[in-house]
């Protein structure tokens, strides 16, 4: 379904691939680490080829620390650690790294996701060592100073650590959110109208259902009255949507959404084919088959049956693209 418009003209067109994402520059092959090297091996760039276009950023170089440079580490209060020099604790670049986000506004406005280098005191998202005490031992873990500032500034932007993307399920979940973010940014956000908002929500129906049926109802209630400030409602809607999608869908959630989607084929397929779909969904639900099995079968049958409105669903599109099968 890559670069293809959905069958129903009411749905905003899908974004063209590749979509832009920000990436820690050392992951993108830039020799910007403190030791003058890079870590292009620390994320699965090849698995993302053709899907994303990288916009590299190195905040430590950006604030003028140079290459090579003395390394820094997180120290002090675990709730609000500081980025200080390893050899010279008088060097404190916390405020500079936080302020650097403001200088990257135009880049951050033009991307739909961010892949950060794991365990960096500037870029790490999870489990960055925070050292404290007199002996400088690790006391806890925290988030890199720049990554934390980006996430505060852009709460709806999908973020992930490069190393975690070697896991296919994590990669697919991240890519799905990136695609939906791109779809919103390019197809809706620039010119929000009540009709576009409703069309977008209708395209998201099964995607959101897979993640949370309650959230689907909550999002629907948000759009129940669009007689007021539509851009303000749209902003609330998108925040709630991205917050919902940030939690991975469970097997039960996917099975529920797929079963509802299969309902589009009720009167269009012979019972033997409907049973085949139901069985593949059940095999997935109990862990005997990957998600791609019922999803691929469903897409094939929906296309054959000309159930184009369902094929246009972002749920199928985003997962097929994220799996690299379309
Ligand atoms: S982890 Fe971040 S700050 Fe460190 S070299 Fe890579 S891009 Fe630069």
């Amino acid at each position: 379904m890559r670069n293809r418009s959905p069958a129903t003209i009411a749905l905003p067109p899908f974004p063209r691939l590749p979509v832009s994402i920000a990436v820690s520059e050392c992951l993108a092959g830039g020799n910007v680490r403190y030791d003058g090297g890079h870590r292009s091996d620390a994320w699965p760039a090849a698995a993302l080829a053709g899907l994303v276009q990288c916009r590299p950023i190195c905040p430590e170089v950006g604030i003028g620390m140079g290459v090579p440079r003395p390394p820094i580490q997180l120290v002090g209060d675990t709730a609000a650690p500081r980025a200080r020099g390893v050899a010279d604790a008088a060097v404190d670049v916390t405020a500079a790294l936080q302020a650097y986000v403001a200088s990257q506004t135009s880049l951050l406005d033009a991307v739909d996701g961010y892949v950060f280098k794991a365990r960096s005191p500037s870029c790490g998202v999870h489990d960055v060592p925070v050292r404290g005490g007199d002996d400088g031992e690790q006391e806890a873990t925290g988030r890199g100073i720049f990554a934390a500032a980006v996430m505060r500034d852009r709460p709806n932007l999908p973020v992930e650590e490069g190393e975690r993307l070697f896991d296919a399920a994590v990669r697919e979940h991240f890519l799905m959110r990136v695609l939906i973010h791109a779809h919103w940014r390019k197809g809706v956000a620039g010119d929000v109208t009540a009709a576009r908002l409703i069309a977008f929500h209708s395209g998201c129906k099964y995607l959101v259902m897979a993640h949370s049926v309650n959230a689907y109802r909550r999002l629907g209630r948000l759009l129940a009255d669009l007689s007021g400030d539509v851009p303000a409602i749209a902003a609330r809607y998108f925040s709630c949507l991205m917050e919902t999608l940030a939690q991975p869908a469970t097997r039960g959630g996917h099975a529920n959404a797929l079963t509802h989607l299969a309902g589009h084929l009720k009167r269009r397929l012979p019972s033997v084919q409907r049973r085949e779909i139901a069985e593949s969904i059940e095999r997935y639900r109990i862990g005997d088959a990957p998600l791609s099995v019922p999803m691929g079968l469903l897409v094939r049958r929906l296309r054959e049956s000309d159930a184009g409105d369902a094929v246009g669903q972002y749920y199928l599109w985003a997962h097929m693209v994220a799996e690299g099968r379309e």
Side-chain angles (χ1 to χ4, degrees), residues 296-311:
L297 181 61
L298 205 44
V299 167
R300 201 161 69 240
R301 296 295 183 227
L302 286 163
R303 281 177 177 163
E304 289 165 1
S305 310
D306 200 24
D309 51 347
V311 173

Side-chain angles (χ1 to χ4, degrees), residues 65 70-75 82-93:
M65 292 179 71
I72 56 173
Q73 62 183 356
L74 294 185
V75 295
R82 312 286 305 177
R84 293 184 185 274
V86 173
D88 181 0
V91 174
D92 184 334
V93 290

Side-chain angles (χ1 to χ4, degrees), residues 24-26 32-34 57-60 69 117 120 122-123:
S24 291
E25 192 165 348
C26 55
V32 291
R33 297 192 78 215
Y34 71 95
I57 310 180
C58 177
E60 291 181 19
R69 57 184 172 274
K117 167 74 178 63
S120 155
S122 298
C123 293

Side-chain angles (χ1 to χ4, degrees), residues 29-311:
N31 290 316
V32 291
R33 297 192 78 215
Y34 71 95
D35 59 2
H38 64 77
R39 285 303 309 273
S40 60
D41 61 326
W43 75 310
L48 302 169
L51 300 175
V52 299
Q53 186 169 45
C54 298
R55 305 278 304 269
I57 310 180
C58 177
E60 291 181 19
V61 169
I63 63 171
M65 292 179 71
V67 183
R69 57 184 172 274
I72 56 173
Q73 62 183 356
L74 294 185
V75 295
D77 180 358
T78 53
R82 312 286 305 177
R84 293 184 185 274
V86 173
D88 181 0
V91 174
D92 184 334
V93 290
T94 312
L97 286 169
Q98 288 166 337
Y100 188 63
V101 175
S103 73
Q104 297 302 303
T105 297
S106 59
L107 188 149
L108 292 171
D109 282 346
V111 297
D112 296 299
Y114 201 136
V115 178
F116 287 103
K117 167 74 178 63
R119 289 188 298 281
S120 155
S122 298
C123 293
V125 176
H126 311 284
D127 300 333
V128 180
V130 180
R131 299 180 192 283
D134 294 337
D135 53 5
E137 284 298 300
Q138 178 178 337
E139 289 206 326
T141 58
R143 179 165 287 160
I145 301 296
F146 179 71
V150 169
M151 291 169 74
R152 263 195 309 276
D153 193 58
R154 309 283 160 148
N156 296 329
L157 189 69
V159 304
E160 198 40 274
E161 287 185 331
E163 282 184 11
R164 280 171 43 86
L165 294 174
F166 283 109
D167 180 318
V170 173
R171 192 166 65 240
E172 191 180 329
H173 181 221
F174 173 67
L175 274 170
M176 178 276 290
R177 289 179 292 144
V178 166
L179 292 167
I180 294 300
H181 190 282
H183 194 19
W184 172 267
R185 189 171 65 82
K186 292 173 179 168
V188 184
D191 182 19
V192 179
T193 63
R196 273 172 186 255
L197 202 44
I198 295 289
F200 183 84
H201 180 58
S202 132
C204 284
K205 177 176 177 180
Y206 297 104
L207 178 64
V208 178
M209 274 180 75
H211 287 257
S212 165
V213 172
N214 286 339
Y216 178 69
R217 294 197 190 107
R218 201 160 55 243
L219 286 165
R221 280 198 298 275
L222 263 179
L223 304 189
D225 178 6
L226 290 171
S227 58
D229 183 345
V230 174
I233 295 169
R236 277 206 301 282
Y237 171 87
F238 189 57
S239 291
C240 183
L241 174 69
M242 295 311 285
E243 198 180 316
T244 301
L245 299 184
Q247 297 304 317
T250 61
R251 275 185 187 272
H254 278 304
N256 180 44
L258 291 167
T259 302
H260 277 84
L261 257 172
H264 285 262
L265 294 165
K266 216 168 180 178
R267 293 190 189 81
R268 302 179 198 234
L269 283 186
S271 60
V272 61
Q273 289 188 349
R274 292 206 309 272
R275 214 167 33 245
E276 183 194 17
I277 292 172
E279 282 169 6
S280 76
I281 294 172
E282 182 57 15
R283 279 183 55 218
Y284 164 72
R285 196 184 64 74
I286 63 174
D288 271 2
L291 180 60
S292 56
V293 170
M295 200 164 264
L297 181 61
L298 205 44
V299 167
R300 201 161 69 240
R301 296 295 183 227
L302 286 163
R303 281 177 177 163
E304 289 165 1
S305 310
D306 200 24
D309 51 347
V311 173

